Amino acid sequence: MSTLTTSLARGIDRVTGSPLGRYQAAVIRIGISFVWLCFLIREWPNRHEMYGTDGPWNWEMARRLTADNHAFTALVWSDSGLWFETVYALALVASVLLLLGWRTRTMSVLFMIGVLSLQNRSVFLGDGGDNVIHLLSLYLVLTRCGLVWSLDARRARRRARAAAAAQKAEEKTEETPGETAGGKGNPVGHDVCGIVLWALCGLALAVVQAAGHSRMMWTTNGPLPGLGWAAVFWGLWLVQGLWWCVRRYAPGEPRAVLNVFADLAHNAAMLVIMAEVCLIYATAGWYKIQGSRWQDGTALYYPLHLDYFAPWPELSRVLAGNSVMVLLLSYGTVAVQVAFPFTLLNRRVKNVLLGVMMIEHLGIAVALGLPFFSLAMIVADAVFLPTSFLKRLGSSVGRVRERVLAGRTEAVPQQREGEAAARTLVP
Amino acid sequence: MEADDGRNERSGSVAGLSLPSRVAVAIGVAVVTVAAAVHLAMVFLHVAPPNVVSKEHSAAIGDYIYPEFEQNWKLFAPNPLQQNIAVQARAELRGADGRSTVTQWFDLSAQDGAAIHHNPFPSHTQQNELRRAWDFYVGSHDAKEQPMGMRGELSEQYVRRIVMLRLGAERDGRPVERVQVRSVTRSVAPPPWSDEKAATKPTYRVLGWWPVTTADLPEAKNR
């Protein structure tokens, strides 16, 4: 009994003590915003046909369907072309900023609004890839996905350095106040940009709410039963405000408690993302086992002969022409998908399988002409990449960047060095 | 507003908190645990085959999952699609003399196929638009082509508007009065090493003529 209590206590300590998987969260953030950004750029010439007021699935039809199924889309708030262009542009901008990790927590919400608005506006355009992006954009809102590899993290580092420098300077010369050294490293309270962004978001929310036709309810028609979108958005907005206030005026215990809550939500969301990926593979695999084509090992032959999924008929013919190859790939796909959730028990096997699945998705991207679906799946898979690998990846990307930047601007080598050193210190 | 700053200097500091804070944390742990468990259970029951639990609570599961957490991961399962379904359309044109003529069938899916051919990044307008619109139509109509509810009506209008976008409101300077849509389903021939019989003739599903109104004319220019 006591061992159970101890391990329970240790578990609680762990999920409340720190945000777990911060590199994995950052990979999901960067990956999914990159995929969505590429998709938005790819579909830029087709955007009116897909989501515009007068496309085949026009505004009125979308309004009727979403009034019935209560899916969230900001695009039904107005049928003006300007509003449509604004939403599409905002979705693009939010993707870029989320990718860079600028004001991550706000951008993750705007990113989600962009994804839901476009996808739910024309729900019959989507495929499995859109579904993955849709779910991850919802879950990302609850994660602290900007702790590493983000502009937010860089700003935090600089502020910490400036604060440390200021303290040192103060210790050396008692007579000069901290103002001189600390002026550059914005202490928390002087975050004008953040306050402006927060105020703008609040203003936008108020306008939308006041306009009335937004269908933003408090307890109905939201993402979960009993939780309306108005409650979600205002709630997130208030939490942001509270977070700032606590950091500014109550840095002690209230802040520690809020931090615990943030970690808790993050850890739960990461767990849900991981479980979601397992469910994707389990479902895909277990349903396949029941199929006669997967049993006789010819399944892969058929999609390669579907006109909608054959961008490279020559390649499809080669792949589908070899009976043993088709058999091995068909059986291999089922085996890998069914096995994946269980390989999580063994780190090495899991990593091997992860690599295999990513390669298979790259193959699907090309052979079946599904690049965005495959990329989204690879991003989802990445939640299981080992931290040590991600750290190594991060530092080699950092080194490449240093070299590129050093090559271009030789004037400021000292600053770069300092930055590189600081990066290694980041947990 | 203020970004996450990543400072997590405390570790296991819950023990160092005051009693009220620890109570708050305990409540937080309980709420988040239950929420995550409920969420995962709901998603599991949604993607699992119908079973004794999911059948009994189907309303609650549906309420929870739809619309934002809907998902379908039966990718190429239980069996991959083994048919090429082509959607084709033809138009009835009104002549200057008042007499009508009927055009040939245009294979709209073949147009999609041509656009996808050697295209590393096919657009959703080529790969999903017509294909899924037809799925939507088939799924919301009965065997006598009668629409089932609002979704059935919407699917008809959607297919009609896609057809009109691709055919154009006029052909040879003559306005399109009515359109007819059909699907041609061809089975993929079994692999050469299989002893199954080769595919039989294509099957047709021919819809009635639809009068075209201005509501059926999309104005998406940038195609």
Side-chain angles (χ1 to χ4, degrees), chain A residues 62-85:
Chain A
R63 204 195 53 76
R64 277 179 71 190
L65 187 69
T66 52
D68 182 57
N69 70 7
H70 305 309
F72 175 85
T73 167
L75 282 172
V76 295
W77 295 346
S78 159
D79 64 352
S80 93
L82 182 66
W83 176 240
F84 162 71
E85 300 288 359

Side-chain angles (χ1 to χ4, degrees), chain A residues 316-330:
Chain A
S316 300
R317 265 198 294 277
V318 171
L319 276 173
N322 186 322
S323 56
V324 178
M325 173 103 93
V326 169
L327 173 73
L328 288 178
L329 285 176
S330 299

Side-chain angles (χ1 to χ4, degrees), chain B residues 93-162:
Chain B
L93 311 173
R94 190 176 58 233
D97 54 356
R99 274 199 290 188
S100 299
T101 48
V102 175
T103 67
Q104 62 177 106
W105 286 102
F106 295 97
D107 192 333
L108 306 181
S109 297
Q111 293 172 7
D112 283 341
I116 291 166
H117 188 74
H118 289 183
N119 185 348
F121 300 100
S123 163
H124 275 20
T125 56
Q126 299 154 353
Q127 211 166 27
N128 294 351
E129 187 177 83
L130 179 62
R131 183 175 64 85
R132 288 213 53 206
W134 185 251
D135 285 347
F136 180 33
Y137 174 90
V138 170
S140 58
H141 282 72
D142 61 18
K144 292 176 181 162
E145 309 295 355
Q146 291 305 306
M148 298 189 278
M150 180 193 71
R151 293 170 70 90
E153 285 168 34
L154 284 174
S155 74
E156 282 183 16
Q157 197 184 349
Y158 188 32
V159 169
R160 210 154 49 227
R161 286 174 65 89
I162 294 174

Side-chain angles (χ1 to χ4, degrees), chain B residues 194-206:
Chain B
S194 155
D195 47 12
E196 281 174 57
K197 271 193 206 152
T200 49
K201 282 181 192 163
T203 56
Y204 292 86
R205 176 169 180 171
V206 186

